[in-house]
Amino acid sequence: MPELPEVETVVRSLAPHLTGRTILEASFSSKLVVRQDFGELSGHLRGQQIHSVRRHGKFILFDLDQGSLAIHLGMTGKLLLDAAGSRHARAVFELDGGSLTYDDPRQFGRIEWDAGVPVRVAALGPDALAISVEEFVEALRARRGRVKAVLLDQRFIRGLGNIYVDEALHAARIHPRAVAARIGGERARRLHAAFVRILRLAIEHKGSSISDYVDAGGNRGSFQLMHQVYGREGEPCGNCGTPVRRIVLAQRGTHYCPRCQRV
DNA sequence: TCAAATGTTTGATC
DNA sequence: GGATCAAACATTTG
């Protein structure tokens, strides 16, 4: 479920309920989602107060008395407050006032506690909503790969995913197969402006609910209704009416307008 | 039955 | 050695 706007929405829906709460008990049931020893992890978390809940790229970070808990939602992860019956609960946190359930059918998500900053978290590039135009243009110039793959690389910038990369490239009228380094300064600036605008707009609409994405309260987002190309293969481009094309690039379904977006 | 799905890691190959 | 690309992970849905 998760790209920057969805994770941001989850954090915003979670924070008022979790800040200041104490973890009474934590239980786990997936060795794919939780790679640490279940008993040890429960021991680390028991009695810890949650000081803050933050988004870091697509990660959700709980700052605790000691260290931090990093949660990545993968493709289908959901964090639910006081969930009645969730079909694929992989972790449950009992708090002093409510419970938090991590539900994830595909188990691509991860939950990890670290005394400092989790390694996976530390390796990420600047946040897509924080990187300056100059820094972005400069960094893009140094990449030989296709712009779609580069934007998806979380070490390059963190937060963008398949939906918002396709939408941003369409808005900036850049072909997803274009080589990053060969995108000129003007078009690179246009691309930066496009993803910043789209990410902010998507946050306002509480993210895109493509299949089953919901925030911590079980609410769906509505930005999927505003998608111009993602999931719209064969439908007319909003700019020129040409049917939107779908190809596979960087091993992801990639949607673009063959007329508006040129290499 | 087959294809595809909001993502990342790992290993091979340049 | 760094960068880039394909395969793998597990499950559901159309």
Side-chain angles (χ1 to χ4, degrees):
Chain A
M1 75 200 236
E3 293 182 40
L4 189 153
E6 290 75 36
V7 178
E8 179 67 27
T9 301
V10 170
V11 165
R12 290 183 185 184
S13 65
L14 226 40
H17 299 274
L18 298 189
T19 307
R21 296 279 82 75
T22 297
I23 300 172
L24 303 178
E25 193 57 71
S27 55
F28 310 100
S29 58
S30 167
K31 293 203 166 189
L32 290 161
V33 172
V34 177
R35 305 296 176 98
Q36 292 161 299
D37 181 89
F38 291 177
E40 246 175 61
L41 182 54
S42 295
H44 278 309
L45 298 177
R46 194 175 298 120
Q48 296 260 333
Q49 189 180 19
I50 302 169
H51 292 280
S52 56
V53 182
R54 303 181 279 137
R55 179 185 66 77
H56 186 91
K58 299 178 191 172
F59 283 83
I60 297 166
L61 293 181
F62 292 2
D63 299 300
L64 307 174
D65 290 323
Q66 291 172 20
S68 59
L69 189 69
I71 299 179
H72 195 293
L73 302 172
M75 290 279 254
T76 53
K78 289 178 275 294
L79 278 170
L80 302 167
L81 287 163
D82 304 315
S86 69
R87 289 223 299 156
H88 304 282
R90 311 297 186 188
V92 178
F93 304 87
E94 295 296 340
L95 311 168
D96 59 337
S99 69
L100 179 65
T101 300
Y102 179 77
D103 182 283
D104 187 357
R106 290 172 73 179
Q107 303 176 87
F108 282 1
R110 296 288 181 272
I111 296 177
E112 180 185 3
W113 178 84
D114 193 281
V117 179
V119 191
R120 284 152 42 81
V121 173
L124 304 179
D127 196 273
L129 283 182
I131 189 171
S132 69
V133 199
E134 298 76 24
E135 191 183 354
F136 175 75
V137 172
E138 194 62 28
L140 202 63
R141 218 196 308 264
R143 291 295 211 114
R144 305 278 307 168
R146 295 179 177 143
V147 64
K148 163 112 186 187
V150 171
L151 293 179
L152 285 174
D153 184 350
Q154 302 297 295
R155 292 166 310 181
F156 179 71
I157 49 174
R158 69 174 117 106
L160 289 173
N162 206 32
I163 295 175
Y164 297 102
V165 166
D166 281 5
E167 292 296 320
L169 287 172
H170 177 260
R173 310 207 177 182
I174 296 170
H175 196 290
R177 243 199 288 260
V179 171
R182 298 190 57 187
I183 293 173
E186 189 188 332
R187 292 203 309 163
R189 279 190 287 278
R190 208 196 304 158
L191 178 56
H192 178 272
F195 70 70
V196 169
R197 177 177 61 77
I198 288 169
L199 289 173
R200 287 191 179 141
L201 193 60
I203 291 171
E204 281 179 39
H205 291 265
K206 309 208 182 289
S208 302
S209 288
I210 295 306
S211 58
D212 63 349
Y213 158 72
V214 289
D215 71 10
N219 307 299
R220 290 167 61 84
S222 63
F223 193 69
Q224 68 279 5
L225 303 174
M226 299 174 73
H227 290 174
Q228 298 297 303
V229 287
Y230 186 86
R232 304 182 65 91
E233 182 185 12
E235 294 178 45
C237 164
N239 294 326
C240 72
T242 303
V244 169
R245 185 172 295 173
R246 180 188 176 281
I247 59 173
V248 174
L249 188 52
Q251 294 156 274
R252 310 297 300 272
T254 298
H255 314 74
Y256 70 102
C257 171
R259 182 164 173 192
C260 292
Q261 296 171 257
R262 282 162 293 160
V263 178

